[in-house]
């Protein structure tokens, strides 16, 4: 519990363009929720381990009976961690399935091509940009991600999780911006000496702005 309280206090300032704890879309919110749930599970297991250790230290000079040892070691030392970890795994799988690019109405597909050290984005209507990805706010966007040289990783922390960009292969990541705004993206896979500058910008437009962009008037 102390660990959880300390972590909450220290993460209250975790906001900004690259913060996974400051989500701006439903998929990023799921990632943040999973982080908090995993933290809670880790806190429960840590408390269990420290509690068992304290009891062992306090009772080290006593001759405990086998049944009591079975309770502490078998049930609390083994069964409880298995239950907690199984619950966390199940929750993670369910949450992960919600972020998959399943068929949805009004889905927009954009092409993402990574290379040393730039990002090229191909939007509906044939518009191509470098370093700036344009998407409509409030609509699911499927990013078809690939690379031309080495493995990169597409990551917009406030909108979704990470997805590798692999030469000769296409991965699809769904991102959703809950509202219009400008978001920062980064390459999350070390790809060479220019890796630190291998970032990009995501601009989420309102309906009018998106129509103007696709129509070529913006």
């Amino acid at each position: 519990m102390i660990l959880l309280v300390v972590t909450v206090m220290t993460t209250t300032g975790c906001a900004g363009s690259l913060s996974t704890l400051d989500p701006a879309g439903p998929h990023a919110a799921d990632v943040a929720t999973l982080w908090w749930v995993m933290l809670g599970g880790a806190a429960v297991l840590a408390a269990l381990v420290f509690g068992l250790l304290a009891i062992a230290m306090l009772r080290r000079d006593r001759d405990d009976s086998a049944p009591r040892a079975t309770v502490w070691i078998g049930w609390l030392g083994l069964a409880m961690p298995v239950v907690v970890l199984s619950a966390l795994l199940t929750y993670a799988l369910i949450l992960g399935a919600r972020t998959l690019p399943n068929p949805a109405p009004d889905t927009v597909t954009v092409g993402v091509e990574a290379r040393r050290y730039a990002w090229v984005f191909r939007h509906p209507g044939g518009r191509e940009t470098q370093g700036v990805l344009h998407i409509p706010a409030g609509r699911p966007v499927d990013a078809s991600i690939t690379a031309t040289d080495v493995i990169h990783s597409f990551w917009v922390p406030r909108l979704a999780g990470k997805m590798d960009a692999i030469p000769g292969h296409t991965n699809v990541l769904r991102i959703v911006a809950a509202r219009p705004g400008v978001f920062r993206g980064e390459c999350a896979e070390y790809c060479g000496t220019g890796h630190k500058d291998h970032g990009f910008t995501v601009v989420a437009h309102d309906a009018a702005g998106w129509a103007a962009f696709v129509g070529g008037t913006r």
Side-chain angles (χ1 to χ4, degrees):
M1 180 60 68
I2 295 177
L3 176 63
L4 181 61
V5 172
V6 171
T7 304
V8 171
M9 292 178 63
T10 55
T11 55
T12 51
C14 292
S17 60
L18 296 178
S19 175
T20 57
L21 300 182
D22 185 21
H27 288 190
D30 285 342
V31 173
T33 299
L34 178 60
W35 187 91
W36 285 110
V37 171
M38 296 291 282
L39 175 64
V44 170
L45 292 179
L48 171 64
V49 172
F50 292 141
L52 292 176
L53 179 60
I55 292 172
M57 295 294 292
L58 293 173
R59 304 176 66 89
R60 64 183 182 275
D61 295 329
R62 301 185 184 184
D63 184 17
D64 285 337
S65 62
R68 185 169 296 177
T70 300
V71 170
W72 288 109
I73 297 175
W75 288 104
L76 295 180
L78 295 176
M80 183 176 176
V82 169
V83 171
V84 173
L85 292 176
S86 297
L88 290 175
L89 175 61
T90 301
Y91 181 76
L93 293 175
I94 294 173
L95 207 61
R98 286 167 44 182
T99 65
L100 295 176
N102 298 313
D106 297 328
T107 301
V108 173
T109 300
V110 296
V112 179
E113 183 181 272
R115 64 172 184 265
R116 293 173 171 171
Y117 295 98
W119 295 89
V120 176
F121 303 105
R122 298 180 176 90
H123 305 84
R127 293 201 64 178
E128 183 176 299
T129 59
Q130 181 169 309
V132 182
L133 170 62
H134 295 264
I135 64 173
R139 294 173 61 183
V141 177
D142 286 348
S144 298
I145 305 167
T146 189
T148 60
D149 39 38
V150 299
I151 295 178
H152 304 270
S153 185
F154 178 91
W155 187 33
V156 188
R158 299 189 63 204
L159 297 183
K162 304 175 184 177
M163 182 63 73
D164 281 346
I166 303 173
H169 180 77
T170 299
N171 287 325
V172 180
L173 175 69
R174 174 158 294 177
I175 59 178
V176 182
R179 59 186 181 278
V182 178
F183 308 95
R184 181 66 181 172
E186 293 287 345
C187 175
E189 179 80 21
Y190 181 73
C191 52
T193 56
H195 170 72
K196 69 180 182 66
D197 298 318
H198 196 200
F200 57 95
T201 300
V202 178
V203 179
H205 299 275
D206 58 18
W210 175 246
F213 173 79
V214 173
T217 59
R218 175 180 292 186

